[in-house]
Amino acid sequence: MSVSHISSKPWTGRDDPEDGEAAKRMHHFAGDKGRTALIGFACEAGVARNKGRLGAKQGPAALRHALAGLAAPRDATNFADLGDIDVAGDALEAGQEMLGAHVGAACVNHDRVIVLGGGHETAFGSFLGLRQAYPDKKIGIINLDAHLDLREPGNAGPSSGTPFNQIHWLEPRGFDYLCLGVAAEANTVALIDRAQNWGVSMVMDRELLDDPLSAEPHIAAIAQRNDLLYLTIDIDLMPHYQAPGVSAPAPRGVPFAIVEQLVQSVITASKQEACALPLADLVELSPPHDKDNMTAKTAALLVRQLMVF
C-alpha cells in the first residue's frame, strides 16, 4: 500500500484545422498554467471500505478523456492539469493527506481547483486542502448527492460514506453543510437524525423533481453567510440511465438537466454574494460499470461548466 503523485500526461483529441482557430476542443487548452486547475484522486479505498462496487480509481482518467473531446466555449482559456494522487490498496488516510496538501497549494496559485475522484472519500482530502489555503475563512459546503455521507467511521476506518462526518468533527462550530437531492430511502433514520442535530440543510430529491427551483433559497442563504463555497458533486445523484457507471446507481435520481441548473445556481450565487467558489470536485465515477462511457461524458459536461468563469 502506497501513495504517490503522478504527473499529468499530454492531452490529445480530435483536430479540425479546416475550420480554423475557432474549432478548438478542450484538449487544446490543457497545460500547466491557467485560472483553473484539475487534479485527480485515483482512489477506491473508500468505496471498498463502504462495500460499494469497485472502479472509482479509474475515474480521473475516464473524466479527462471525456472532457478532452468536448468543444471549447468561445471564451475558453488555458487550464492546468496537476496530475493525480494515486492511492494503492487501502492507503486512504495517507491519500487524503496528500490530496489536501496538493489542493491547498493549488488553491493559492489558481482561482478554481477541480478535483476528479475517486469515491466520495475525496471530499475530506479536498476540504483539508481548502482549509489549508484559507485558514480563517468561513466555508459553506454544498453537496449534490442522494446520500448524506455522514456515517460514523466503522472498524475499517473512514470511507466514502463518512467524509462530512469527518469534516464536522474537524471543526464542529463552523460546520455549514447543504445537501441537495437527498433520497429518503438511501439514508437511514440515524443519518437523517444526525443531519438535523448538526444543523444540516437538506433538499430532497422529490422536492427537486416537483420544483427544480426549490433549492434556490438554500443556495443563496449559504452563499450569504460564508466567505467561500466548496461544491462537491456525487455523480450517483443522477438516475441510473444517465449515470450507470457509479458505485451505487440511483433508481429515481435527479435528472441531469436539474443537476446542471443546480451547478449554475451555485456559480451564480457565488458571484452575486461575493462568496468565492475556489474548489469543486466530482466523485464516484466507476468506468468499469459505465455503459457507452455515458457517465463519464455526463460528468465531463459539469467539469466544463465549472471551468467557465
Side-chain angles (χ1 to χ4, degrees), residues 15-74:
D15 285 305
D16 298 308
E18 64 277 7
D19 285 332
E21 284 296 307
K24 290 187 175 181
R25 299 176 186 273
M26 295 300 290
H27 69 87
H28 290 107
F29 295 90
D32 58 4
K33 295 180 181 179
R35 292 184 65 187
T36 304
L38 305 181
I39 185 167
F41 188 56
C43 176
E44 60 188 12
V47 173
R49 292 183 185 184
N50 203 27
K51 302 179 178 66
R53 301 195 301 177
L54 300 185
K57 185 178 175 66
Q58 302 173 39
L63 252 175
R64 283 188 180 90
H65 181 74
L67 180 64
L70 296 180
R74 185 177 298 276

Side-chain angles (χ1 to χ4, degrees), residues 101-124:
H102 281 259
V103 167
C107 284
V108 173
N109 296 313
H110 304 275
D111 293 337
R112 183 168 297 157
V113 178
I114 303 174
V115 184
L116 313 177
H120 219 156
E121 70 274 11
T122 303
F124 187 61

Side-chain angles (χ1 to χ4, degrees), residues 26 41 51 79 94 136 145 213:
M26 295 300 290
F41 188 56
K51 302 179 178 66
F79 63 90
D136 301 318
D145 199 343
L213 299 178

Side-chain angles (χ1 to χ4, degrees), residues 59-90:
L63 252 175
R64 283 188 180 90
H65 181 74
L67 180 64
L70 296 180
R74 185 177 298 276
D75 52 355
T77 57
N78 292 340
F79 63 90
D81 183 355
L82 304 180
D84 286 343
I85 305 303
D86 185 81
V87 179
D90 191 48

